[in-house]
Amino acid sequence: MSAQEHSTSHILQSLVVNLTIAATKAVAAVFTGSGAMLAEALHSAADCLNQLFLLIGVKQAKRKPDASHPLGYGRATYFWSFLVALMLFTGGGVFSIYEGLHKIGEPEPVTRVWLGIAILGFSLALEGYSTYSNIRELHQRRGSTPFWQYLRTTKDADLVVVFGENSAAVLGLAFALAALVLAAVTGDGRWDGIGSLLIGLVLVAVAIFLATEVKSLLLGESADPVVAEAVQRVVAETHELDRVLSLITLQQGPGEVLVAVKLAFAYKLDIDAACATINAFESRLRQLRPEVRWCFVEPDIPRISSSRAVESGAVHETASGNRP
């Protein structure tokens, strides 16, 4: 199963969870009059729109290359993921901060606290399960890479966005639950406003993190270092090749990498042999790294005194132009 198919399943799961939670939170906000609950309802509603954005991005990224976009539409995922970060910042974070400051300045008593606690507990269980599933998927993909390092370096922007949303939701629900209980126990409605303010700050922080990570991919980020390592490995395994002179890798989308490499040959070959060597290099590279969708190879003149050519007994020209 492709990376995009994995991500789509998690997006759909999060969408179903957030639709359910947004509806229950909205009902609780109406009956309790809690600002923190209202902030959480709006947060979940914004998350639903965010998941729709991600689904659009994944669908557009699957479009085949055409004359106007010869390298395909893989970066569409990054564009829509960046919009999600903006939505999380404005639709969730800024409004929650505003609502929290308003409730602190003009506190109102909360009512039907039991209903709010029950719904928040239910929502926390759903969001917790969704976040657990997301983390399990991240663990499967990261391999031996440390978890937080993987979040910073992975090219699966949609998976990271879903993780950021789910984590913010779990933390926000915990704040909302604590604020509602404190407001009820103390009779001070300002605790409810403080809860909404904290939720807003969490959303803003997550949105800034996501925007920063996705921006790098949107502008054009190099592929994972394992791709460059694979290039070096194939060159080392190929008798006709001497070394890599220059290498550019570019992440074009989830599971789509472009490689442009300049290679020095170990000794001189005719055009047919050189083409066969390049084709074999590309085939072996794609065997090691299937995500390499485009590979452009520029051959360079061989090193006259290549030790590899001498050791192998290959025929090559000397500096004087005579053959041994």
Side-chain angles (χ1 to χ4, degrees), residues 105-128:
E106 299 179 13
E108 299 176 4
V110 293
T111 59
R112 297 183 179 88
V113 176
W114 61 270
L115 177 61
I117 293 175
I119 289 179
L120 284 174
F122 171 73
S123 300
L124 190 58
L126 285 181
E127 289 285 9

Side-chain angles (χ1 to χ4, degrees), residues 179 181-191:
V181 171
L182 286 172
V185 171
T186 63
D188 189 348
R190 288 177 297 181
W191 282 110

